[in-house]
Amino acid sequence: MKTLLKGGTVVSAAGSRVADVLVDGEKIAAVGEGLAADGANVVDVSGKLLFPGFIDAHTHFDLDVCNTTTADNFNTGTRSAIHGGTTMVIDFACPNKGETLGYGLDLWHKKADGRSSCDYSFHMTIDDWNEGIKNEIPAMFAAGIPSFKMYMTYPAMMIGDQDLFSALLELKKYGGIAGVHCENAGVIDALIAQHKAEGKTAPSSHPECRPNPLEAEAVAHLLRIAEVADVPIVIVHLSTKEALLEVMHARERGQKVYVETCPHYLLLDDSVYYQEDYSASARYICAPPMRKKEDQAVLWKALANGSIQTVSTDHCSFTLKQKDAGRGDFTKIPGGLPGVETRGELLYTAGVAEGRITKEQMCALLSENPARLYGAYPRKGVLAPGSDADIVVYDPEADSVISAQTQLSAAGYTPYEGFKTKGSIAQVYLRGTLAVDHGGGNTERKFIHGPIHAQPFHTARLRRVCFTYGNARARRHVSLKLQDLLRAAHSQLAGIPYFHNPAVRRSAPKAGFHCRVRWVNNQFGHRSGLSQVNSRVHHASCCHGIVHNHLDAALRAIVHLVRCLRRTVALKGLDDGMDFRF
C-alpha cells in the first residue's frame, strides 16, 4: 500500500525543505516536490514537520533491580515509546554476575520478542569479565550486538579498572563500542555512610552523596583508560558541566568521545529533592541525580554546538508505591524515571521553540546521530528513498499539556506533570504503517497497532572500512581487498600517488582528508543470513598520499572507490551506509 504525505516540512540534520514523502510498503520510495499520488492514500501534512522516527538508545524495560522489577516491560514501555514518536529503542540486556552474555541476550529476546510495539535492539551489559565472557564477544557481534555497557558504580554491576581496560581492548578487535556509567563509587559509598551516621535518610541526601565532582572524576578516569586502550567511548547520561569539561579536554588530546544526555538533566534541577512530601521528592531519584540550573545551561549550549551527540531517556520506571521502599533509607529508593513518551515534545518545546537548538539539531540528536552511532543508518535516522518509513508528524501549532492521565507508561506518573508543550505529535508511522494518530482537535492520541508490527533490529556492522590519512595499520585480508580497490581507483586517475609508495608516505602532508565507509547489515530477523558473510567488524587504514593540489582528483578517486565498494556490497546482498568526513 502506498501513502503520500503531502506538503510537510521534511527535517534532516543537514537541513529542512517543504517536500512530499511517498511511502511504498515499509520503505520511503521518494522525497520531493509535487510527487504524483499514483493511487496512493494522500495525507495532507501542510504546516507540519516530518522527522525521521526517533531512536531512544537508552531504555531499561523489564529490568530486575533493587529487589523489584521496573514498572514498564516491553509491552507497556514500547507502547509508551511509539506514542511519543520513538520508533526504535535500544534496551540493555543485563545478565547478572556469573551468568553468560548468551544467556542474557536470550533472556532479553524472550522479554521483547512478540511484545514490542516499535522496533528494538539491544546493548549488552558487561558486569563480569573472565575468559568465558571474553570468548563470547565474537558471538555477540554475530548476533547483531556491536555496542556494550559497563558501570563504574553499583557493586552488583561494576567491574574494576583492569577488567574494564581488558574488555575495551577486546571490543576494539571487532570494532565495538562501549557506553559507560561514570560515577566514583568509593566516595559515593563513603558519603552515604556519613549521611546515615548523621541520621540524614531523606531523599535530599541522594544528590548530596553524588555531587558533580564525582561524575567528573569518573569521566576523567575512564577517558584516560580509553586513551591508553586507544578506543572510542560513549559517556552515557552526562549531567554536569565539570564532566563535559573533561570530555572537551580528551577531545583536545585527539580522543573520540561521544556524549549522551537526558531530558531530565535539561529541564529539572536538584530542588525537586528538597520537597517536604517524601513521595514528591522520591519520584525523582535517579543516578546521576538532577543538577543545578548552571549545569542545565551548559548542557543546552553543548547541544547547540555539537559537543553532545544524542539525547536519550534512560527510561527506568517505577511506580510511586515501589518508590515508597526507601522511606527511612534513601538508598533503598529504586532509581529511575519514566520518560520515553515525552522526549520529543520536551526537546522541541524547551529546545527548538525557545531558540536553544534548531529543528535540524533536534533531528540529529533524536534520530540521525543515534542511528549512525549504533549502526542503523541509513535504514533508520533519515527520511530518504530506501530508508524505513519511520515518520513522526509534528504539529508545531497543536500545543498540549503533559499529564499522567494521557501517558501509556505503567509508572502511573510523569516527572513533567503540567508541562505545557509547544506543539505536539500528530501521527507516527512505523515502517509505513500508521501506528499513532492524534485525530485532530483536542482528542487524545490513539494507539493503533501493537506488537505484531515490531521487529528486532540487527545492528551488527559486518564490515567497517576506515581510510584514515597517515595511518597504515590494517588487518591483512582486508588490506588486500583495499589494495585491489585502490588500484582500480588509481587506474582511472593519473597523478595520484599510490599509498604503497614509501616516498609518498614520507612526503605526504599532515593536512589531508578522512573518509569513513561503513557497511551495515540491516537485515531483520533472528540471525538469519548472518552466517553467509563474515560477521566480524574489520578496520583498515591507509596513507592515501593526497597532496593539496590534487584534492579534486582525490575526491574523484574516492567517488570511484565508493562505487567499487557499493558493487561489492550489492553482490553480497547487504545494505550499505556511506558516511564521509573531510
Side-chain angles (χ1 to χ4, degrees):
M1 178 181 176
K2 293 184 179 181
T3 301
L4 180 63
L5 303 180
K6 200 162 185 65
T9 298
V10 176
V11 184
S12 74
S16 302
R17 60 174 175 144
V18 176
D20 304 336
V21 178
L22 179 62
V23 175
D24 189 355
E26 295 190 346
K27 298 289 185 179
I28 294 175
V31 178
E33 297 180 12
L35 296 182
D38 291 333
N41 175 38
V42 179
V43 180
D44 183 7
V45 291
S46 301
K48 297 181 175 64
L49 305 175
L50 304 184
F51 288 96
F54 304 146
I55 298 172
D56 193 341
H58 195 146
T59 64
H60 297 282
F61 298 146
D62 203 355
L63 176 65
D64 296 328
V65 64
C66 296
N67 299 314
T68 188
T69 304
T70 54
D72 282 310
N73 54 25
F74 278 86
N75 187 345
T76 60
T78 57
R79 283 170 62 91
S80 181
I82 201 164
H83 203 238
T86 292
T87 54
M88 180 179 174
V89 298
I90 310 180
D91 202 77
F92 292 89
C94 297
N96 296 315
K97 286 184 183 292
E99 296 174 347
T100 67
L101 303 184
Y103 172 81
L105 181 57
D106 289 342
L107 178 61
W108 249 255
H109 270 297
K110 291 176 182 177
K111 291 171 184 277
D113 295 353
R115 301 180 182 182
S116 298
S117 298
C118 66
D119 289 338
Y120 57 94
S121 187
F122 306 119
H123 309 287
M124 176 53 64
T125 301
I126 297 177
D127 55 18
D128 209 355
W129 188 255
N130 51 51
E131 202 63 27
I133 297 295
K134 176 181 177 180
N135 291 337
E136 286 191 272
I137 296 298
M140 292 298 102
F141 284 90
I145 309 296
S147 50
F148 298 78
K149 172 81 173 285
M150 288 180 278
Y151 291 81
M152 299 177 75
T153 189
Y154 303 137
M157 308 181 82
M158 63 185 292
I159 59 177
D161 288 351
Q162 180 178 349
D163 288 343
L164 189 150
F165 178 71
S166 298
L168 291 177
L169 290 180
E170 193 64 21
L171 298 183
K172 179 181 178 181
K173 296 178 183 178
Y174 306 99
I177 195 165
V180 182
H181 179 139
C182 297
E183 290 183 286
N184 185 304
V187 180
I188 288 172
D189 289 344
L191 289 172
I192 288 173
Q194 178 182 327
H195 274 67
K196 286 186 174 181
E198 296 172 357
K200 300 177 180 178
T201 60
S204 57
S205 289
H206 178 70
E208 294 170 5
C209 292
R210 308 179 103 93
N212 286 27
L214 298 191
E215 181 185 56
E217 187 281 332
V219 168
H221 189 89
L222 170 70
L223 292 177
R224 287 300 187 178
I225 294 174
E227 180 183 21
V228 175
D230 190 24
V231 296
I233 204 78
V234 180
I235 309 296
V236 301
H237 49 51
L238 183 139
S239 64
T240 63
K241 59 184 185 297
E242 294 89 346
L244 183 63
L245 184 61
E246 297 296 341
V247 170
M248 302 308 291
H249 289 330
R251 288 173 176 163
E252 290 171 1
R253 297 192 297 266
Q255 289 183 248
K256 185 174 291 186
V257 186
Y258 301 100
V259 177
E260 164 201 279
T261 193
C262 306
H264 45 277
Y265 300 125
L266 298 168
L267 297 170
L268 303 174
D269 63 71
D270 62 356
S271 65
V272 298
Y273 298 118
Y274 293 90
Q275 303 176 76
E276 290 186 10
D277 180 69
Y278 166 86
S279 182
S281 296
R283 67 187 62 191
Y284 295 101
I285 294 292
C286 62
M290 310 307 170
R291 305 299 187 177
K292 304 290 185 184
K293 291 186 182 297
E294 293 83 0
D295 295 291
Q296 292 179 7
V298 170
L299 295 181
W300 277 113
K301 289 179 181 177
L303 293 179
N305 65 29
S307 298
I308 295 177
Q309 285 69 49
T310 64
V311 176
S312 301
T313 63
D314 194 9
H315 181 103
C316 188
S317 62
F318 300 94
T319 65
L320 297 181
K321 183 177 180 180
Q322 288 175 299
K323 293 278 189 178
D324 275 349
R327 287 185 183 272
D329 184 352
F330 68 97
T331 64
K332 293 183 180 179
I333 303 172
L337 306 174
V340 75
E341 192 165 341
T342 52
R343 179 179 55 142
E345 292 176 350
L346 290 172
L347 202 62
Y348 184 87
T349 301
V352 177
E354 292 294 326
R356 292 185 173 110
I357 60 173
T358 66
K359 59 184 180 294
E360 291 80 14
Q361 289 171 323
M362 173 177 164
C363 178
L365 292 163
L366 301 190
S367 303
E368 185 168 326
N369 288 352
R372 288 183 181 275
L373 183 58
Y374 297 113
Y377 189 86
R379 188 162 186 174
K380 305 285 188 182
V382 65
L383 300 181
S387 298
D388 281 354
D390 298 338
I391 305 170
V392 177
V393 181
Y394 196 95
D395 187 347
E397 301 302 322
D399 297 354
S400 185
V401 178
I402 294 175
S403 171
Q405 293 182 348
T406 61
Q407 303 279 293
L408 298 182
S409 168
Y413 80 98
T414 170
Y416 311 102
E417 186 70 39
F419 188 95
K420 296 179 180 179
T421 70
K422 178 60 180 174
S424 58
I425 292 170
Q427 289 93 25
V428 181
Y429 290 82
L430 175 63
R431 283 179 283 107
T433 297
L434 182 63
V436 177
D437 189 7
H438 186 281
N442 294 317
T443 59
E444 295 182 5
R445 286 196 292 270
K446 182 181 179 183
F447 182 83
I448 299 174
H449 285 300
I452 190 171
H453 292 276
Q455 296 178 341
F457 192 92
H458 277 178
T459 58
R461 300 172 216 182
L462 295 184
R463 296 204 187 268
R464 188 170 67 186
V465 185
C466 297
F467 301 87
T468 305
Y469 176 84
N471 189 336
R473 293 175 296 179
R475 288 183 182 271
R476 180 173 177 77
H477 56 289
V478 179
S479 295
L480 293 175
K481 278 189 178 177
L482 294 180
Q483 291 170 17
D484 292 339
L485 291 170
L486 286 169
R487 287 191 186 102
H490 283 280
S491 68
Q492 305 296 317
L493 295 163
I496 304 296
Y498 187 58
F499 80 98
H500 270 300
N501 185 334
V504 170
R505 286 188 180 174
R506 288 194 297 270
S507 63
K510 297 207 173 179
F513 72 92
H514 175 81
C515 167
R516 179 167 174 252
V517 182
R518 185 175 64 199
W519 300 4
V520 183
N521 170 44
N522 281 326
Q523 294 176 344
F524 285 114
H526 297 286
R527 307 170 189 169
S528 59
L530 294 179
S531 61
Q532 299 174 14
V533 293
N534 186 354
S535 61
R536 290 192 177 188
V537 180
H538 296 297
H539 295 277
S541 305
C542 61
C543 175
H544 202 54
I546 301 299
V547 293
H548 293 291
N549 59 349
H550 286 144
L551 181 58
D552 290 339
L555 293 177
R556 292 198 301 274
I558 291 300
V559 169
H560 182 85
L561 176 59
V562 169
R563 288 172 181 161
C564 294
L565 288 170
R566 280 185 167 150
R567 283 199 295 271
T568 305
V569 169
L571 289 174
K572 288 184 175 293
L574 302 176
D575 294 330
D576 68 309
M578 301 298 175
D579 175 17
F580 291 88
R581 297 193 300 278
F582 291 92

